[in-house]
Amino acid sequence: MKFTYIFGPVFSGRLGHSLGLDLLGERICSMDCLYCEVGRTEELTLSRKPYVPAKDLLDELRRWRDEHGENLPDYVTLGGSGEPCLNSELDAIIKGCKQILPSVPVAVLTNSTLLCDPDVQQALLEADAVLPSLDSLIDKEFAKLNRPCGGVSAASVAECLMEFSKQYSGKIFLEILLSQGINDSQENLTLLKEYVTSLQPHRVDVTTLSRPGAFSLAQAVDPEVRKAWQTALSDCITDFTANGSTSHQHPAKETSPQADATQTATDNLADLPEQDRSAAKQRVLESLTRRPQTPSQLAIALTLPLSIVQQVLDILENEGSIYKSEPDRTATLNTDEPFYSCQ
Ligand code: SF4
C-alpha cells in the first residue's frame, strides 16, 4: 500500500538503512539554500505548525510496521523537503516513533535554525541522534549560501547548537556542506575548527554537492578540498568516528515503498515478474520526485542492481516521465553519469 509521509528504507551514508518520515508534506523551510537538492523553498518561515499532524504520520508508521515489521531499519529519520523542526508536533512524533518501533533509534535532521526554541530543544532531547548542519561561521558566507529567514545569523545558530549540546545525551553528527568559492574559505575553516573543538560532536561530516542544487551558483568543491577539510575537522574531535560519507544529507528524504518487493538476483528487468517490474518503476519514479539522482545513486539508495535501475530509467525517459538534467548544472559534481529528474 502506498505511503504519503514514509520513505524507504533507503541506504544513507551516515545512518545505514534509514526509514524517512516527512514532517512537512510541502517545500517548507527556514532556509532557501543555494545547494538544496529539492529545489527552491516555497514557504520560507520560522513559524512552527503541525504541517503534518502527528496522528496522521504515526498512523502511517503503524501501518508500515504491520506490513514490514520483520525488516527493521537502522534508524527512523525525521526529515522532509524542508526543516522538520518546524513541525510543532515534533515532540509527539519522536515519542510516537519510539513507541511504535521501540528497538529502532530515532534521528532528526535539522538545519539548526530552530535550536534556539526551548520547545524544539526539549523535543530533541528524546531523539537518539541529531544531525545538525552548519556550513559557515562567517555571516556573509552563511547568508549567501543558506539564505535563512530574517533574524537568523551564523552566530545565533552556532550558539544555540552549542547550548543544546550541553544538555543532550544522544549523538550529534555535525554536517558541513562546502560550495566552491562560497564557504570554502580558510577563514571559515579556522573558525569551524575552533567551534568543533568546543562542540565535540560524535562525528563531523564534510560534504559537497553530489546532485544539482536549486541554484547554478552552488557548485561542488574538488574532492581533495573536501578531504582536507574532513581531516582537519575530524582531528578536532577527541573520539571521532569516520564513515566516509560524501553526500549531502539534509533534506533526508528518499523513497521506496515496497522496499522488499524488488530485491532480485537478475540483471534483466524483463525477467522480473510484472509486479516487481512495476514496483521497481514506482520506487525509481518516487525517488526522483524527491531529488535528481544518477543511476548509481539510485541503485545504492534503493538497493537495486544498477542494470535494473538503468533499464527502468530508459523506460521512464521514453515515456516522458523523467528527463536528464542540463550539463551546466552538473558540470562540477565529480561524476560522468547523467542526473535524472522529474521536475
Ligand atoms: S538544504 Fe535543507 S535547510 Fe537548505 S533549503 Fe533545503 S531543506 Fe532547507
Side-chain angles (χ1 to χ4, degrees), residues 26 71 124 126 132 159 195 205 212 221 226 238 266 270 281:
E26 304 283 343
N71 287 319
L124 289 178
E126 300 290 328
E159 196 181 319
Y195 185 75
D205 295 306
V221 295
R226 189 201 67 77
T238 318
T266 182
K281 210 167 142 184

Side-chain angles (χ1 to χ4, degrees), residues 24 27-41 80-84 110-111 133 135 145-146 248 250-252:
L24 300 158
R27 194 60 197 89
I28 301 164
C29 197
S30 48
M31 287 178 164
D32 187 17
C33 301
L34 293 181
Y35 57 74
C36 189
E37 294 166 355
V38 291
R40 293 203 54 171
T41 295
S81 298
E83 172 49 47
T110 178
N111 63 19
S133 52
D135 300 328
L145 185 62
N146 300 114
H248 169 42
H250 187 259

Side-chain angles (χ1 to χ4, degrees), residues 17 26 42 108 173 176 262 264 270 272 297 307 314-315 318 320:
H17 284 96
E26 304 283 343
E42 284 161 12
V108 183
F173 302 156
I176 294 153
T262 50
T264 170
L272 292 176
Q297 288 169 342
S307 59
D314 290 345
I315 292 170
N318 285 336

Side-chain angles (χ1 to χ4, degrees), residues 97-222:
C97 289
K98 291 169 104 49
Q99 240 172 22
I100 295 165
L101 296 172
S103 60
V104 182
V106 175
V108 183
L109 303 174
T110 178
N111 63 19
S112 313
T113 50
L114 281 106
L115 288 176
C116 300
D117 183 325
D119 290 341
V120 172
Q121 289 201 5
Q122 195 59 38
L124 289 178
L125 291 178
E126 300 290 328
D128 299 282
V130 174
L131 288 77
S133 52
L134 180 57
D135 300 328
S136 179
L137 287 170
I138 299 167
D139 261 327
K140 214 168 144 193
E141 294 182 359
F142 179 77
K144 182 171 181 183
L145 185 62
N146 300 114
R147 301 156 43 92
C149 281
V152 176
S153 67
S156 67
V157 168
E159 196 181 319
C160 294
L161 173 56
M162 188 67 77
E163 187 195 314
F164 170 71
S165 76
K166 289 184 181 143
Q167 358 157 13
Y168 182 57
S169 58
K171 293 178 176 165
I172 292 182
F173 302 156
L174 180 68
E175 178 180 7
I176 294 153
L177 183 140
L178 294 179
S179 181
Q180 197 181 84
I182 300 182
N183 66 330
D184 54 350
S185 63
Q186 188 57 45
E187 187 188 353
N188 189 28
L189 178 58
T190 303
L191 291 172
L192 280 168
K193 278 165 69 179
E194 276 171 36
Y195 185 75
V196 170
T197 302
S198 301
L199 184 72
Q200 287 296 306
H202 281 74
R203 215 170 64 204
V204 61
D205 295 306
V206 178
T207 63
T208 190
L209 284 89
S210 58
R211 300 177 179 87
F215 296 79
S216 55
L217 195 57
Q219 298 289 338
V221 295
D222 288 341

